[in-house]
Amino acid sequence: ARRGTLSPLNSLSHTAEPSNKRVKPVAKSNSLTGVLNPVKTPALKRIGQSISRSISFRTEARPLPTAPLRSRTKASSFPRRRNSQCWSDTVESHDLTAKEIKRQEVIYELTQGERQLIEDLSLVKKVYYEPMLKLDIMTESELGQIFGTLDSLIPLHQDLLTRLERLRGSEKTVGEVGPTLMNWFPCLEAYVTYCCNQVGAKALLDQKKHEKRVEHFLRLCQESSFSRKLDLWNFLDLPRSRLVKYPLLLKEIQKCTPPDHPDEDTLPDALELIQSIVAEVNKKTGEAECQFYRRGLSYLEEGQRVPEIQQSRFLYCHGELKNNKGQRLHVFLFELVLVLTRPGDEKDGGHVFNVYRQPLPNALINLEEIPDGEAAGGGTFRGAFTGGNDKVKNCFRVSSRGRAKAHSYSLQANDSFSKQQWITCLRQAIVQSRDRTAHTSQSQFSPHHDPALYHIAELSLSSDTEMADHTSR
């Protein structure tokens, strides 16, 4: 399943979805610095490398199933970095405490991350966009939809890189970084447009991949050394991945900033600012995703067009489940309603989802978790969930209450993690919808009533054959 795959970019923060990026193993450095230039202070170098790797590990992690653990054969959604280098590789000696070394490593990680992002985005423009346009592999309109406003993000990040490099003194250390980030972070509001476009961009790109010329070109690019074995979408998703890293990096800088440091006053404000920007991008992206999939719904009966579908502003999650006949369904948990569908044909750059049975308003849902190992006897499961065994696994049941015609659906997730994410999202959606209904009833005469918007970002229940980090984001 995907958030919002249990695909809120979406999401963006957690990123909760049920998000689809696993923790990236820390790659060993291929740098020859230590061989070519003997380091005069090996202790300093070791501390710096350890800190840098620790930072990289934490900041590239996103929530995912912890099991089963196995070797990875698919490309990560983060490009494999070039020769890894940490701050201590750039200095021969320095009179710094371990805490200050850590601070310099995080700032250096921030700076290098900007440099690498600029290189990747420039590469995307040069080796993907321009050749496909020149060779007529896609039309200018199609490329515009897929790449969105990516081109405008390059000078934006180049600006931050320039500012950060100016902060680095003659001794290759950075003093005060808070004011620079405070002044630059508002530029990231440009991400609203880019990230909102990603849902439709991904759908169109997936559709175009079925065309021979497109598939052949993208395959050749992925097999080339410059791509580091990543596909086009991995590169297009880099800005979103970078955006959600800023709060994590700032927290790391804040942790190792002494109480008497000038940054002590500005970093909390900078962190609050970037978190609010990420939340806003996340909210807008969730709304765009909701509208995109809502437009893809095809109704078999007029009675299926319940008002809660159009009133919903975001998706908690969506993804594949099986019903009690073993049929594959694509289920959408909107803000106010649960909609079961059967995937149809692609149309206008996106999938069509045929609504299956009657949608269930979240406020009226009864949720029943079916324990693993429950006997499958009786007609409820019809043996479809059991595969000939006597036990069922990863199943739950949803039904409606308070209406003359009751609807009950038994559903099976791909695995226990996916089931738990669905259960969590459903419980959240039910509580939120009932609270919203009660609050609306109590304040229906108030001219100032404005319900708070709640959004879960980028939960992902990706299958082994499909990547998401949504979240998403």
Side-chain angles (χ1 to χ4, degrees), residues 97-165:
T97 64
K99 191 172 185 179
E100 181 57 30
I101 292 173
K102 182 176 180 180
R103 175 182 158 85
Q104 294 301 321
E105 293 290 1
V106 184
I107 296 173
Y108 189 76
E109 170 85 1
L110 171 64
T111 305
Q112 289 300 98
E114 293 301 304
R115 191 187 314 280
Q116 292 165 353
L117 178 63
I118 293 166
E119 292 174 0
D120 283 331
L121 297 188
S122 299
L123 179 144
V124 168
K125 179 182 178 182
K126 182 178 180 180
V127 304
Y128 285 99
Y129 182 92
E130 293 177 358
M132 283 195 286
L133 179 62
K134 186 175 181 179
L135 297 174
D136 247 356
I137 293 175
M138 291 192 206
T139 67
E140 186 173 3
S141 174
E142 290 169 337
L143 291 171
Q145 292 179 59
I146 292 172
F147 287 82
T149 58
L150 182 139
D151 198 36
S152 67
L153 301 182
I154 298 175
L156 185 152
H157 288 278
Q158 183 63 61
D159 178 41
L160 177 59
L161 178 60
T162 301
R163 297 189 193 197
L164 292 174
E165 288 178 331

Side-chain angles (χ1 to χ4, degrees), residues 104 178 183 210 224 253 271 305 316 331 427:
Q104 294 301 321
N183 291 333
H210 294 302
S224 300
I253 296 174
L271 180 59
R305 296 179 181 271
Y316 282 102
V331 181
R427 285 174 177 164

Side-chain angles (χ1 to χ4, degrees), residues 49-114:
Q49 289 174 332
S50 175
I51 292 169
S52 179
R53 289 169 182 168
S54 175
I55 294 167
S56 179
F57 181 89
R58 288 194 299 272
T59 58
E60 292 191 7
R62 294 182 63 197
L64 271 181
T66 56
L69 296 177
R70 54 184 177 272
S71 60
R72 299 181 61 187
T73 57
K74 295 179 293 184
S76 166
S77 52
F78 287 99
R80 297 177 180 84
R81 291 304 180 193
R82 304 77 167 166
N83 291 340
S84 176
Q85 187 182 50
C86 54
W87 174 79
S88 55
D89 289 324
T90 68
V91 296
E92 294 185 352
S93 62
H94 214 293
D95 184 21
L96 295 178
T97 64
K99 191 172 185 179
E100 181 57 30
I101 292 173
K102 182 176 180 180
R103 175 182 158 85
Q104 294 301 321
E105 293 290 1
V106 184
I107 296 173
Y108 189 76
E109 170 85 1
L110 171 64
T111 305
Q112 289 300 98
E114 293 301 304

Side-chain angles (χ1 to χ4, degrees), residues 9 22 61 66-67 93 111 120 134 161 202 222 239 269 276 279 296 356 451 455 462-463:
L9 180 212
R22 294 181 172 82
T66 56
S93 62
T111 305
D120 283 331
K134 186 175 181 179
L161 178 60
K202 180 67 163 61
Q222 187 170 359
D269 293 337
S276 67
Y356 174 77
H455 182 57
S462 57
S463 66

